[in-house]
Amino acid sequence: DGGITQSPKYLFRKEGQNVTLSCEQNLNHDAMYWYRQDPGQGLRLIYYSQIVNDFQKGDIAEGYSVSREKKESFPLTVTSAQKNPTAFYLCASTQGGLYEQYFGPGTRLTVT
Amino acid sequence: GQQLNQSPQSMFIQEGEDVSMNCTSSSIFNTWLWYKQDPGEGPVLLIALYKAGELTSNGRLTAQFGITRKDSFLNISASIPSDVGIYFCAGQLYQGAQKLVFGQGTRLTINP
């Protein structure tokens, strides 16, 4: 089955720790995206990558980092510099030149 | 950044009723997308619109790309309990734009 997987579904961390969220896709899509969603809010773009070894900051990149070493993988690290890391994180991908983004199931991160 | 004004923010309806929601902007959009998100899950693409005036259906859902290219509408006919969720509009500002702009969502609640 083709799709986007995010793991784990729920993640708990102590304040001050870095944490990495996984996103993998087997759709052969060129572009991948990370969004943050807070309760009752829309989606805010953190980082995106159009091709391997290249990525751009979105609207709220501070306190986050990414890498794109493989086409199918786009991990997101939430660093200790992120002031309010508790949120629902969504990964998406799209075929190059098309704008229909497809989303993974999300990871809910709780930092205490 | 760019914003999409999505309304209403929430709707409470009876099962069987028709639903209508819309997204507006002061900017012209090249593409409009409509997504549905179930609680704790990633958004699922419902309908994609690519031409001004385009009217597209997906089962009981119908969406239209406004003729001014500054708005889009989503209608759901004869609502059923599984229609409950949050509906998001998203737009691509121009051909080749790397990012989507998302609305804040419309939360649909259905009373049986």
Side-chain angles (χ1 to χ4, degrees), chain A residues 16 22 25 28-30 35 43 49 59 64 70-71 77 81 91 97 107 109:
Chain A
S22 167
Q25 55 97 2
N28 199 34
H29 283 175
D30 295 313
Y35 293 90
L43 281 65
S49 168
D59 301 317
Y64 299 97
K70 298 185 296 183
K71 186 176 183 177
T77 297
C91 178
T107 292
L109 173 65

Side-chain angles (χ1 to χ4, degrees), chain B residues 98-110:
Chain B
Q98 307 294 325
K99 302 181 287 184
L100 293 177
V101 180
F102 282 85
Q104 295 301 303
T106 294
R107 181 180 295 274
L108 179 62
T109 302
I110 298 176

Side-chain angles (χ1 to χ4, degrees), chain A residues 9 33 35 37 40-43 45 48 50 57-59 88 90 97-106 108, chain B residues 30-31 33 35 37 40-45 48 50 86 88 92 94-100 102-105 107:
Chain A
K9 182 68 174 175
Y33 303 78
Y35 293 90
Q37 186 176 32
Q41 302 295 313
L43 281 65
L45 183 63
Y48 62 104
Q50 298 294 306
K57 293 182 179 179
D59 301 317
F88 189 50
L90 288 159
L98 297 178
Y99 308 102
E100 300 171 11
Q101 290 186 16
Y102 294 90
F103 286 84
R108 185 167 300 281
Chain B
N30 188 64
T31 301
L33 306 171
Y35 289 87
Q37 185 179 30
E41 300 295 328
V44 173
L45 181 64
Y50 293 102
I86 302 176
F88 289 100
Q92 180 211 14
Y94 53 87
Q95 185 77 18
Q98 307 294 325
K99 302 181 287 184
L100 293 177
F102 282 85
Q104 295 301 303
R107 181 180 295 274

Side-chain angles (χ1 to χ4, degrees), chain A residues 6 8 16 19 22 29 38 45 49-50 58 63 72 87 89 93 97 104 107 110:
Chain A
Q6 293 185 243
V19 59
S22 167
H29 283 175
D38 293 288
L45 183 63
S49 168
Q50 298 294 306
E72 59 270 23
Y89 290 89
S93 70
T107 292
T110 302

Side-chain angles (χ1 to χ4, degrees), chain A:
Chain A
D1 257 45
I4 303 173
T5 57
Q6 293 185 243
S7 60
K9 182 68 174 175
Y10 300 94
L11 194 51
F12 297 88
R13 280 293 182 272
K14 293 291 187 184
E15 196 173 318
Q17 292 179 338
N18 291 356
V19 59
T20 298
L21 282 60
S22 167
C23 177
E24 304 277 331
Q25 55 97 2
N26 60 6
L27 300 167
N28 199 34
H29 283 175
D30 295 313
M32 298 185 73
Y33 303 78
W34 274 105
Y35 293 90
R36 170 183 173 137
Q37 186 176 32
D38 293 288
Q41 302 295 313
L43 281 65
R44 292 187 289 169
L45 183 63
I46 304 173
Y47 268 98
Y48 62 104
S49 168
Q50 298 294 306
I51 56 173
V52 173
N53 293 322
D54 188 42
F55 48 83
Q56 287 77 41
K57 293 182 179 179
D59 301 317
I60 56 165
E62 186 175 348
Y64 299 97
S65 66
V66 293
S67 63
R68 185 86 186 276
E69 298 177 0
K70 298 185 296 183
K71 186 176 183 177
E72 59 270 23
S73 178
F74 190 40
L76 172 74
T77 297
V78 184
T79 75
S80 57
Q82 168 51 232
K83 301 301 181 190
N84 297 295
T86 294
F88 189 50
Y89 290 89
L90 288 159
C91 178
S93 70
T94 185
Q95 183 63 23
L98 297 178
Y99 308 102
E100 300 171 11
Q101 290 186 16
Y102 294 90
F103 286 84
T107 292
R108 185 167 300 281
L109 173 65
T110 302
V111 177
T112 58

Side-chain angles (χ1 to χ4, degrees), chain B residues 1-44:
Chain B
Q2 291 291 334
Q3 285 191 334
L4 289 178
N5 301 310
Q6 190 170 348
S7 67
Q9 289 188 328
S10 59
M11 302 182 73
F12 299 85
I13 63 169
Q14 298 294 124
E15 184 177 349
E17 287 185 12
D18 295 343
V19 172
S20 184
M21 61 190 77
N22 69 81
C23 263
T24 62
S25 175
S26 57
S27 301
I28 291 174
F29 279 79
N30 188 64
T31 301
W32 287 94
L33 306 171
W34 284 92
Y35 289 87
K36 179 186 180 232
Q37 185 179 30
D38 291 329
E41 300 295 328
V44 173

